[in-house]
Amino acid sequence: MKIPLPNKKLIILIILAFKCTIGYAGKVSKAFEALQAYNYFKAKDLFEKALNDESIAAHYGLSIIYSRNDNPFYNIDTAFVYIIKAENDIKTEKEKQKQSLYEDYQLNERTIDSLKQVIYQTAFNKIQQENSITAYEKYISFYQGSPLKDRAVELRNQRAYLSAMSQNSESAYKEFLQKYPDSKQAIEAKIKYEETLFHSITLSQTIESYAVFIKQYPQSPYEKEAEDSIYAKQTNKNTIAQFSQFLKQFPTNHHASEAWEKLYQLYTQNLKPENYIDFLLEYPEYPNKDRITRAYMAAKSNYFPAKQNDKWGYIYEDGSIAIPFQYEATEACTEGLCAVWKEGKAGFIKKDGEVIVDFIYNDVDAFNEGLAIVQLGDLYGLIDKLGQVILPFEYDEISSFHEGLCAVSKNDLYGYVNTKGEMVIPCKYDNAEDFSEGLAHIQLDEKTGYINTKGDTVIACKYDWGENFKNGLARVKKDDLFGLIDKTGKEIIPCEYNGIDAFNEGFALVVKDDKFGFIDTTGTLKVAIKYDYTASIQLKSGFIKGTARINKKDKAGLIRSNGKEILAPNYYDDMSVLSDSLIAFKRKGKWGYIDTLNKRIINYQYDYAGDFINGMAKVKKGEKAGIINKKNHPIIPFEFDDVEIISSNLIQLKKNQKIGFNTRDNQIILPIDFDKIEWIDKNSILLMRNEKIAYYSFEKSNFIWKEDGFYDTTN
């Protein structure tokens, strides 16, 4: 291919100048004349012969020949060699000779430089068309003084970088950086080198490959990404074992703090005091031992919700503040977590005050078996003790877990999920109840049947009603009659009774045609169906401590489980079962007490008579209640609206809708001055008065804590 000469006009002008100024027929003059006539062979021959005598002009002339692409001698590199020789020679020439050159040939440093610039440009155009690294490298090294050298360097670097990019390998980028460290592309090449190096070493994407990369290139910008990948892969199942192994193998990983937190939360998620001790024993290198101490102390302490200035918090059993008053509402702590409300949203905190579930839910239930039902918007889901969503918010109802499954409702259909949030039994039933003894009763097309925990139908949907199994038996209803089935669906008792009460002490009351008797768990009739079934019998049905009430012709009696009548139903209008060796009876509208030998212990004189408990019984005269002992001596006078025996020396009193407490000796413990009470445990009680609250300990006989403004009338 012929490469055009950009400054060809300049060369022609130079030749014309020679023709006009040369006045003798020397070799050089004749050579320029031949050159003007495009007789390149003759011109070349003459110039070469004049190299010794007139080297500057001869070199110059030869440079012109080799720089033109319209002759067979065209070679731009050779042209450059000759022009440089001409340039070097003229530099050492004396001024007189320089003057002579100019006068003879119009040749001086300027005309030589002009041709040199033409050669530079021509050579550059040539390599630019070739556009190869080799061509650019040659130009840069050969044409040292070219003003286009920097541009050639740029183009060479650009071409070399494109080549490296096409290979896109760490070796290609490394080679580029080694060869061209000062190039404009070096910064980007360095980035690409680090990237491809990282991906080449970690191509297998295994934990081992990332670890090797970090060891070999600890200063790499991809070191953090390698650590991220190690952490993600090592802990992908979110287990204690995984986090423990991660911390053992990679203690300096920037996720170490996060791993410690996850390990701590997983290990102690049961929130029991022993969990914290065990954690510290197993992981003595845990960096926050003070946290363990605080959590342990909190876990082993009992907390009571308390209110101050309309804000809720928690107090310890001794009344000191456990969690400051900062919440809109609080509930009792269960399984180590406390439900609290803030800005209208519910969340959970640990007993050390740490927020474990953010305040994002509309409502929450207490944790049960490590899970809590929570409401988000109008739908319900399940979360675990770490706040992770176990069951998404897609359900209209969620029941509590029983035997590892809970019933859920979606689009008016019911199914079951397990504790992992997996749908075990699809939502396809019209109703579904809790599992009991491996079976749950469900409803389809208004009929009840039973399924097992796999969703298999064990008892077909053919009953109008059914209940949970207890001790292998369940009551069912069909065509308004009741029967009894076992877990295989076998009818122990066909549906032929008007009613069957729940079993108690191994016996159940059965009703047929307004008469009742008792069956045992095999369905065998143990007490004949011959007694009158009345409303009072319904309220007092069943055996209690081996005796049951019977009724005949409006008279009450007692019977043992063997069918033997203790007291025949022929004298008393009503009676209760045996309690504390005495039996309450009713005669002529009044109540009294007899013993098992039918000996009258307390004559009938009361309008109500309760069971004896700890030698005391609640009785009423008119509308007023009191407490008597077995000698019929009043322990608590008849001046209260209601009384309740709490323990052997604690009586709850109610009067004018106020509540208080006395001893059995009628000594005041707490005056009748409280609007509402709530038992916290057997020894502690929450008292409410005028919307203020306080806690009182019966064991210590003093107030544990009182809200500001709670008026204590005991002082």
Side-chain angles (χ1 to χ4, degrees), residues 600-616:
R600 191 170 300 176
I601 305 301
I602 298 173
N603 198 25
Y604 50 95
Q605 55 191 287
Y606 299 109
D607 296 297
Y608 169 86
D611 294 338
F612 266 91
I613 302 171
N614 295 319
M616 301 177 288

Side-chain angles (χ1 to χ4, degrees), residues 167-176 178 193 196:
Q167 297 176 61
N168 197 33
S169 67
E170 56 90 12
S171 59
Y173 290 117
K174 182 178 181 180
E175 181 181 359
F176 177 85
Q178 289 173 341
Y193 166 72
T196 52

Side-chain angles (χ1 to χ4, degrees), residues 26-36 39 42-47 65:
K27 293 178 181 177
V28 171
S29 299
K30 291 179 180 180
F32 278 113
E33 289 175 358
L35 183 61
Q36 185 180 7
N39 189 346
K42 182 178 179 181
K44 178 176 179 291
D45 181 60
L46 291 171
F47 280 132
I65 294 171

Side-chain angles (χ1 to χ4, degrees), residues 42 90 166 232 252 268 288 319 335 375 378 404 433 454 494 512 525 538 551 566 693 705:
K42 182 178 179 181
I90 202 169
S166 66
T252 60
T268 63
N288 194 349
E335 297 189 6
Q375 181 184 4
D378 295 327
E433 300 295 335
K454 295 180 180 179
K512 199 170 191 179
L525 194 63
Q538 186 178 13
N551 203 62
I566 301 173
I693 69 170
W705 179 86

Side-chain angles (χ1 to χ4, degrees), residues 176-280:
F176 177 85
L177 288 166
Q178 289 173 341
K179 287 184 176 180
Y180 316 112
D182 299 323
S183 65
K184 290 191 300 185
Q185 295 85 359
I187 294 175
E188 185 177 344
K190 175 67 173 174
I191 295 171
K192 289 289 187 180
Y193 166 72
E194 298 288 2
E195 179 184 356
T196 52
L197 176 67
F198 171 67
H199 290 303
S200 66
I201 293 177
T202 62
L203 185 62
S204 62
Q205 296 185 345
T206 61
I207 292 173
E208 292 75 16
S209 67
Y210 292 113
V212 167
F213 176 81
I214 293 170
K215 184 177 181 180
Q216 292 180 353
Y217 301 96
Q219 303 303 317
S220 169
Y222 286 87
E223 185 260 354
K224 184 176 181 295
E225 184 173 336
E227 287 194 345
D228 291 341
S229 297
I230 287 173
Y231 182 66
K233 290 179 177 295
Q234 182 70 49
T235 63
N236 62 339
K237 294 182 180 178
N238 202 41
T239 64
I240 290 173
Q242 283 191 326
F243 286 110
S244 178
Q245 186 66 24
F246 171 80
L247 287 165
K248 186 181 296 183
Q249 286 185 264
F250 309 103
T252 60
N253 187 292
H254 71 277
H255 288 285
S257 295
E258 182 182 349
W260 273 121
E261 179 64 18
K262 291 281 191 180
L263 178 62
Y264 170 78
Q265 297 290 2
L266 285 169
Y267 197 101
T268 63
Q269 64 180 312
N270 288 333
L271 304 172
K272 295 179 180 179
E274 56 268 25
N275 294 147
Y276 297 102
I277 299 298
D278 292 342
F279 178 79
L280 199 55

Side-chain angles (χ1 to χ4, degrees), residues 617-636:
K618 167 187 169 181
V619 293
K620 279 188 175 183
K621 284 186 176 181
E623 295 297 321
K624 297 299 180 181
I627 302 288
I628 62 172
N629 62 19
K630 288 185 177 181
K631 294 182 179 181
N632 200 28
H633 295 158
I635 294 174
I636 301 294

